[in-house]
Amino acid sequence: MAKEGVEKAEETEQMIEKEAVKEPAEGGGGSHRLGDAQEMRAVVLAGFGGLNKLRVTRKAMPEPQDGELKIRVKACGLNFIDLMVRQGNIDNPPKTPLVPGFECSGIVEALGDSVKGFEIGDRVMAFVNYNAWAEVVCTPVEFVYKIPDDMSFSEAAAFPVNFVTAYMMLFEVANLREGMSVLVHSAGGGVGQAVAQLCSTVPNVTVFGTASTFKHEAIKDSVTHLFDRNADYVQEVKRISAEGVDIVLDCLCGDNTGKGLGLLKPLGTYILYGSSNMVTGETKSFFSFAKSWWQVEKVNPIKLYEENKVIAGFSLLNLLFKQGRAGLIRGVVDKLIGLYNQKKVKPVVDSLWALEEVKEAMQRIHDRGNIGKLILDVEKTPTPLMANDSTETSEAGEEEEDHEGDGENKERMPFIQ
């Protein structure tokens, strides 16, 4: 077994050396020319399913169209929605193969026609409608934002989805004010930590959070009351606040919907912004989907009217890419950058992973092992034992199936912040 591990490490080191030989003598970022076309590294999802559907390969480098910026990517954010995309566990999934990812940070490398307000060399963060997990992306200028000089690229990649989602739910949908109370699930995750920080900017806000027990020590100071995610949090909340809470932020769905509505005070707001309970295994599960759907309490509008309660949903990606609210989001980002400059908020980065380590990074999110955000660091050198599994492709460019049991000897060795 040990011999096999050594042989795999040696093979991977040789593979990395071969890739290094392909790098150009001039020009950074790992791009090189094949004929007249420049290429780049990117994570490609070959088809919906498990981790074996992901591979790092070379693709043609995009060029900016009218109104777009070309960004040399330094870091990419990894979100739970990316797991659901990989499984095909979303409404109207796009066609594969595709490059996943919805947010990144980097340096402006080129400007498309009619782009104003940016210059080549600007440090930026951006939303991308897929294609973020690559060395170079092109995205419309309305989705790009300059970042402060003291914000690192990993922080910038952890900023857009998490903090904009948290801000929109708290202040635009639920109208958070002084003296109110908030229940947030997955308090140790990227959005959960953003919610906790933003609540601290409003006087006398009580934050109830649920999280896995092993995270409690690390996040106990960020929330007022912390409960185990598997405990009867309804009774725990009512023991502290008999009336319940003003705002419930639910990324779980399933039976938590009914529990959340039941915990609302009069004039309280329940917001659903995810459905992670549907993800139980590595691949899409019809049983998990059906169970989660069946457990959702059927909402009676008359009951909402009688109890003076509000139920809402929030999808940042739909708001941006389908509903055309980029102007609204830019105003929110400006406010959040102001809070960052005032040292009132700061992205919590769990760990940094190379593109070739994307499978291990996804597994860490699936296991709910992260505290804060996982980041794909485009310039990070992969750990050999992990790089081997994510970069091998057949001559036809198709992914090779993982052999059963291969994953048992893989070590998770990210750079932990």
Side-chain angles (χ1 to χ4, degrees), residues 108-130:
V108 175
E109 195 168 82
L111 307 174
D113 293 340
S114 77
V115 170
K116 296 180 180 179
F118 290 90
E119 296 180 356
I120 293 174
D122 282 345
R123 301 172 73 250
V124 297
M125 59 186 175
F127 290 108
V128 188
N129 194 6
Y130 293 99

Side-chain angles (χ1 to χ4, degrees), residues 281-400:
E282 187 178 325
T283 57
K284 183 177 180 179
S285 167
F286 177 77
F287 175 77
S288 297
F289 173 83
K291 179 182 177 182
S292 184
W293 178 86
W294 181 259
Q295 289 178 333
V296 173
E297 182 171 307
K298 305 307 178 283
V299 176
N300 183 342
I302 300 299
K303 189 176 181 181
L304 293 176
Y305 149 73
E306 291 174 344
E307 296 181 353
N308 285 298
K309 293 181 179 180
V310 178
I311 184 169
F314 183 76
S315 167
L316 175 59
L317 298 180
N318 284 346
L319 196 67
L320 273 172
F321 302 129
K322 294 183 179 180
Q323 297 166 341
R325 295 298 189 272
L328 172 62
I329 300 304
R330 182 168 295 281
V332 170
V333 172
D334 289 342
K335 293 174 183 176
L336 287 167
I337 292 295
L339 291 173
Y340 178 89
N341 288 333
Q342 296 169 39
K343 311 298 182 186
K344 292 184 177 181
V345 300
K346 183 180 178 65
V348 177
V349 175
D350 174 81
S351 48
L352 306 181
W353 304 76
L355 290 181
E356 290 79 6
E357 297 165 346
V358 63
K359 296 182 185 180
E360 292 285 336
M362 273 201 162
Q363 187 64 50
R364 183 170 173 84
I365 286 189
H366 183 276
D367 294 341
R368 277 72 168 178
N370 57 299
I371 298 174
K373 189 75 163 232
L374 276 77
I375 298 296
L376 296 178
D377 183 342
V378 175
E379 297 179 342
K380 182 179 181 294
T381 301
T383 302
L385 286 178
M386 291 190 288
N388 182 67
D389 189 52
S390 293
T391 55
E392 288 185 349
T393 57
S394 67
E395 291 181 1
E398 300 293 335
E399 77 279 11
E400 302 290 348

Side-chain angles (χ1 to χ4, degrees), residues 248-300:
V248 174
L249 305 179
D250 181 11
C251 59
L252 305 177
C253 199
D255 61 353
N256 292 283
T257 300
K259 293 177 181 179
L261 285 170
L263 276 173
L264 285 182
K265 294 179 181 180
L267 302 182
T269 302
Y270 164 91
I271 305 174
L272 180 70
Y273 70 101
S275 53
S276 64
N277 277 352
M278 293 184 184
V279 179
T280 54
E282 187 178 325
T283 57
K284 183 177 180 179
S285 167
F286 177 77
F287 175 77
S288 297
F289 173 83
K291 179 182 177 182
S292 184
W293 178 86
W294 181 259
Q295 289 178 333
V296 173
E297 182 171 307
K298 305 307 178 283
V299 176
N300 183 342

Side-chain angles (χ1 to χ4, degrees), residues 82-94:
D82 297 312
L83 273 71
M84 300 185 75
V85 169
R86 190 200 76 218
Q87 294 183 352
N89 207 356
I90 58 173
D91 286 336
N92 300 314

Side-chain angles (χ1 to χ4, degrees), residues 119-166:
E119 296 180 356
I120 293 174
D122 282 345
R123 301 172 73 250
V124 297
M125 59 186 175
F127 290 108
V128 188
N129 194 6
Y130 293 99
N131 296 307
W133 295 355
E135 290 180 313
V136 173
V137 303
C138 291
T139 193
V141 65
E142 58 262 34
F143 302 143
V144 184
Y145 319 91
K146 295 179 183 178
I147 62 176
D149 292 339
D150 60 344
M151 179 182 280
S152 68
F153 286 117
S154 59
E155 286 181 334
F159 202 82
V161 169
N162 290 351
F163 275 89
V164 172
T165 295

